[in-house]
Amino acid sequence: MMTPILALLAFTAIADAQFITWFGDSCPRVPTKENFDIVPYMGRWYELSKYPNSFQNGECGTAIYRLEADNTVTVNNTQIKDDGSSDTVIGQARDDPDSDIPGRLQVRFSSFQPWGSYWVVDTDYDNYSIVYSCNYFLVNRVEFLWILARDRALPAGTLSSILQKIESYGIDSTKLVDTVQDPAICVK
Ligand SMILES: *[C@@H]1O[C@H](CO)[C@@H](O)[C@H](O)[C@H]1NC(C)=O
Ligand SMILES: *[C@@H]1O[C@H](CO)[C@@H](O)[C@H](O)[C@H]1NC(C)=O
């Protein structure tokens, strides 16, 4: 049970995330990747688009996932800020201990933070991943969505089928904002 003060801290930590629905709908029931296998999911992913959020406001976002001996995952999220400096946050991911559904992971970037959901909705491991997160904090619902890819771009056809998939799960794809992945800006 969270103490009120901890719950409040958790709340303020994410309160400036963009997609908060006050007293709103429940989280949509979205499937996760069938028989999700963490091993081929590890390695580097490029962030192609996402729901805007307060902690990833730079460009060129990458995530590197590394499986540790204790079966947790070390997360290295790096982005390039407006002033050209690179910004890295190290976090941790794990299987949701309260769920036996494959692909329902959790992530956090500080041991003072509550675990947030990280659902691998769909991935083919080699090209793309659709990651969705929906959590309740007090009276609101907070959603995150990312399209990740193994390269800095995806073929248009792959991208449009990803967007169709997202919509078919009742997740709003129109709020996605593209991340700059132009090598001229991102590769130094
Ligand atoms: C995180 O990833 C960045 C970019 O790939 C790399 O430069 C940095 O060394 C990594 N940091 C850690 C602690 O692994
Ligand atoms: C997915 O990635 C693999 C390995 O890089 C590649 O051979 C294949 O063509 C890609 N498939 C699609 C649909 O992009």
Side-chain angles (χ1 to χ4, degrees):
M1 192 59 206
M2 245 192 212
T3 63
I5 189 76
L6 264 183
L8 197 65
L9 280 174
F11 171 73
T12 49
I14 46 81
D16 53 351
Q18 298 280 316
F19 297 111
I20 298 176
T21 308
W22 296 91
F23 302 105
D25 304 335
S26 48
C27 290
R29 287 166 179 273
V30 295
T32 47
K33 173 72 177 173
E34 215 174 313
N35 302 319
F36 176 72
D37 184 359
I38 194 104
V39 174
Y41 193 74
M42 297 295 93
R44 182 188 300 264
W45 290 96
Y46 295 96
E47 175 196 290
L48 297 199
S49 64
K50 63 169 182 292
Y51 282 1
N53 68 56
S54 58
F55 51 91
Q56 293 171 307
N57 46 17
E59 300 298 346
C60 312
T62 59
I64 302 170
Y65 301 130
R66 192 180 67 220
L67 189 59
E68 307 293 351
D70 65 356
N71 268 327
T72 63
V73 172
T74 299
V75 177
N76 172 340
N77 278 359
T78 297
Q79 60 179 345
I80 297 191
K81 310 281 266 186
D82 282 349
D83 65 3
S85 67
S86 121
D87 168 56
T88 292
V89 289
I90 303 295
Q92 211 186 8
R94 65 175 186 186
D95 269 324
D96 181 344
D98 297 326
S99 172
D100 48 20
I101 302 174
R104 290 205 178 182
L105 311 183
Q106 295 181 316
V107 67
R108 69 177 179 186
F109 292 94
S110 148
S111 49
F112 299 106
Q113 253 179 13
W115 290 90
S117 62
Y118 176 119
W119 291 359
V120 182
V121 175
D122 194 20
T123 184
D124 67 352
Y125 305 99
D126 291 331
N127 300 282
Y128 73 89
S129 177
I130 303 169
V131 178
Y132 179 66
S133 168
C134 188
N135 295 285
Y136 299 103
F137 287 96
L138 305 182
V139 294
N140 60 14
R141 179 185 77 161
V142 179
E143 288 177 279
F144 299 96
L145 178 66
W146 292 269
I147 297 176
L148 307 178
R150 291 296 192 185
D151 290 312
R152 292 186 191 275
L154 280 172
T158 310
L159 201 53
S160 72
S161 67
I162 288 173
L163 295 176
Q164 271 170 24
K165 229 170 245 176
I166 288 172
E167 289 289 332
S168 78
Y169 299 140
I171 305 171
D172 183 359
S173 72
T174 64
K175 293 184 298 196
L176 282 166
V177 174
D178 289 346
T179 305
V180 171
Q181 287 291 356
D182 180 354
I185 296 168
C186 302
V187 182
K188 301 205 166 164

